[in-house]
Amino acid sequence: MKKLLFILIAGVIVLNSCTDDFEDANINPYQISQESLRQDHNDIGSFYPKMLANIFGHQIEENLIAESFCNYMATPTPFVSGVNNTTYSITWNTYWERIYNSLMAPAQQAMNTAQEQGEQVFNEWAKLIRILGISRLTTYHGPLIYSTYGEAESRYDSEEQLYTALFADLDDIQEVFAANLEYEGIKNFDDVYEGKIAKWAKIVNSMRLRLAIRISKVAPALAKAQGEKAIADAAGLITSSGDDFYIPLYGSQIYLAVITGWDDTRMSAAMESILVGLKDARIAQFFEAVSDESLVADHPEFPYKGVRAGGRMEAKSDHLPYSKMNPAIAGWEERPYLTSSEVYFDLAEAALRGWEGAGDAQANYEAGVRASFAQWGASGVDAYLADATSTPINYNDVVYDALDDGTVNDFVTRSTVTVAWNEAASNEEKLEKIITQKWIAAFTNPNEPWADFRRTGYPKLPHVYNNLSNADWGIIPADEWIKRMPFVQDQRITNAAAIETVEQTMNGTDLISTRLWWDTEAKDEVNF
């Protein structure tokens, strides 16, 4: 009996000893603990590559919307029998889902986690990446869900409210960044600047300047205040190639290389008109020369041929011999979002508007052109900047010369712009030079050029030849261009009341003919 009691007591002691270390004994030695994740910031940092990767879109979000509307590229493919976005019959509209599902949602998770742990820099970094995406999406639709995003009853911000909120968030971000310039916690997740907060602080100022320029016609006082704040901030702007903001492709090919591989995109006719006319050496870095000399009989020294965006397309094979992307683009590992060339062009416009600290308009303009030539590895910039005679050329769609009256897709250029700066010219003429060169320099990043075109009317692009706009989406007159993308269908169905409310702040209803807040139609001269 005593022996049995001893065995029972010993068993209880052993059991108690085992349960003391039960939790440790049951931890998977091959699994990273939550505590370890937190110590290395992996529980927050893992969100950032996905957010950055989804700032840009792909074929539908960019190539068949902004890229077509700003006339960088054009499709040779008669999608849906030619009745599609490019001809102003809205067929695809998905950028909203990308930004909200793959950027805003993970950004909110990252911010929540960062706030719980008191990680201010991570919180503001996520906030900045949200701005990078939202500031693009608003140029598509106008009002967006931003200041109340994630709340039980989220609402649309009017565009005026949205820009006010973006500027306020940039204030908060810059304050935290300025106080944490030596912080290295984001290094393992930052494939752009390797964790250098000072570099991200330049992004804050350069974004503030971009947004200030965008609203400069509709809200000149606010734009001037924000632009001057960006220029004066101690962190500085992106004014050298070493600070240029490129977003990694994370192992993917740039969308233009993929779509070119499908033979669904070609150089645009507007690119041919402007780049060939101005004898621009960057054309060889952008595009591939054609092999059929008959396509370029009017300019054999520049053997590049473009497709008219929004043109009449009979068969895909008709325009496949026209200029493709330069094959070198398939090897890109990153894509430009905001570079020194754009910042210099923004400073040039700011100087025209009399913003303090902006410097000299001509000096900034020429610095922007030089930065772009250097970015693309093009030569001959000095002769290019001195050219006061070359102008854009007329366009002839050669393969359709025998179709109907022989003028299908042809256009007479609307632009007489030259490259050389003319100090005696009007501010409006100077603005046309600035925006035309800014348009060329931003190639592969069509969002801001499309916004600039609607805001200023420059460069002077051709109208859509095959305009199939209709009452369902909004009628675009023959002498006008699309103004915006409608809200996505899911929002139209599930959030109709919110759209109806925010329409009262817009220049019209939810149609492609409704001008955005900053697209005032007024001649810019009144604001100089």
Side-chain angles (χ1 to χ4, degrees), residues 11-327:
V12 170
I13 292 172
V14 170
L15 285 171
N16 284 339
S17 299
C18 288
T19 56
D20 285 345
D21 298 319
F22 183 80
E23 185 175 343
D24 292 336
N26 282 274
I27 292 176
N28 185 341
Y30 303 105
Q31 185 177 35
I32 301 174
S33 69
Q34 186 62 36
E35 183 60 32
S36 179
L37 282 172
R38 179 171 295 184
Q39 288 175 351
D40 296 333
H41 301 302
N42 285 299
D43 56 339
I44 310 174
S46 59
F47 291 107
Y48 291 82
K50 178 181 180 180
M51 291 189 287
L52 286 166
N54 281 287
I55 289 173
F56 291 121
H58 206 272
Q59 182 180 26
I60 291 176
E61 299 99 324
E62 294 201 52
N63 184 249
L64 295 172
I65 300 180
E67 201 152 57
S68 177
F69 298 156
C70 84
N71 276 232
Y72 276 167
M73 306 294 291
T75 180
T77 309
F79 292 114
V80 201
S81 300
V83 184
N84 56 58
N85 285 16
T86 69
T87 53
Y88 293 172
S89 181
I90 304 306
T91 309
W92 312 288
N93 189 13
T94 61
Y95 193 34
W96 176 285
E97 284 86 354
R98 181 182 292 272
I99 291 296
Y100 278 102
N101 295 343
S102 300
L103 194 158
M104 290 292 284
Q108 190 65 53
Q109 290 177 278
M111 290 167 66
N112 290 343
T113 305
Q115 289 165 13
E116 289 170 4
Q117 298 177 23
E119 293 287 351
Q120 278 188 304
V121 174
F122 273 98
N123 184 69
E124 300 307 317
W125 191 27
K127 194 183 293 184
L128 175 58
I129 294 173
R130 290 201 320 173
I131 292 173
L132 300 180
I134 284 294
S135 65
R136 285 169 58 87
L137 185 64
T138 185
T139 67
Y140 281 56
H141 304 292
L144 295 177
I145 300 169
Y146 181 74
S147 62
T148 59
Y149 177 79
E151 297 180 9
E153 294 185 10
S154 57
R155 58 166 174 77
Y156 281 79
D157 291 319
S158 71
E159 291 181 82
E160 186 172 7
Q161 291 170 332
L162 175 62
Y163 282 90
T164 299
L166 293 177
F167 286 132
D169 280 349
L170 288 173
D171 288 341
D172 294 341
I173 295 164
Q174 196 67 304
E175 181 180 356
V176 171
F177 282 2
N180 292 274
L181 292 176
E182 304 304 318
Y183 179 80
E184 296 185 347
I186 71 172
K187 183 176 182 179
N188 291 338
F189 315 102
D190 179 9
D191 295 315
V192 180
Y193 292 128
E194 299 179 331
K196 297 180 176 65
I197 302 299
K199 297 275 191 179
W200 285 103
K202 290 179 185 291
I203 294 294
V204 175
N205 290 331
S206 300
M207 280 299 299
R208 188 190 300 277
L209 180 60
R210 172 190 276 187
L211 298 180
I213 286 291
R214 191 188 291 171
I215 66 168
S216 58
K217 287 175 63 178
V218 70
L222 175 61
K224 183 174 187 290
Q226 291 296 327
E228 291 178 347
K229 179 184 286 189
I231 294 166
D233 190 82
L237 297 161
I238 298 173
T239 53
S240 71
S241 60
D243 295 328
D244 285 350
F245 181 27
Y246 282 76
I247 295 178
L249 296 173
Y250 297 100
S252 299
Q253 272 194 327
I254 187 170
Y255 71 111
L256 280 171
V258 175
I259 305 166
T260 298
W262 299 336
D263 274 335
D264 281 335
T265 196
R266 289 292 185 270
M267 167 185 166
S268 80
M271 273 286 189
E272 177 189 340
S273 171
I274 294 175
L275 295 181
V276 170
L278 297 181
K279 300 179 175 61
D280 196 313
R282 286 171 290 185
I283 195 171
Q285 310 303 316
F286 296 171
F287 303 110
E288 189 173 49
V290 298
S291 57
D292 183 350
E293 294 181 1
S294 69
L295 298 176
V296 291
D298 55 338
H299 49 80
E301 70 282 10
F302 280 88
Y304 301 90
K305 194 66 189 174
V307 175
R308 185 165 182 178
R312 177 176 163 184
M313 299 294 129
E314 295 296 312
K316 179 174 179 175
S317 58
D318 292 343
H319 293 90
L320 293 186
Y322 285 27
S323 289
K324 299 180 180 181
M325 291 294 304
N326 185 323

Side-chain angles (χ1 to χ4, degrees), residues 461-512:
L461 301 175
H463 298 97
V464 166
Y465 180 85
N466 195 24
N467 183 342
L468 301 178
S469 60
N470 56 69
D472 290 340
W473 296 109
I475 296 174
I476 305 297
D479 61 349
E480 271 291 354
W481 296 264
I482 189 170
K483 303 304 177 187
R484 63 183 289 274
M485 288 293 287
F487 295 118
V488 293
Q489 199 62 14
D490 178 68
Q491 284 290 302
R492 287 174 150 223
I493 295 171
T494 64
N495 210 6
I499 289 177
E500 185 176 351
T501 297
V502 82
E503 279 179 328
Q504 298 173 29
T505 72
M506 296 166 61
N507 292 317
T509 55
D510 182 24
L511 296 171
I512 65 173

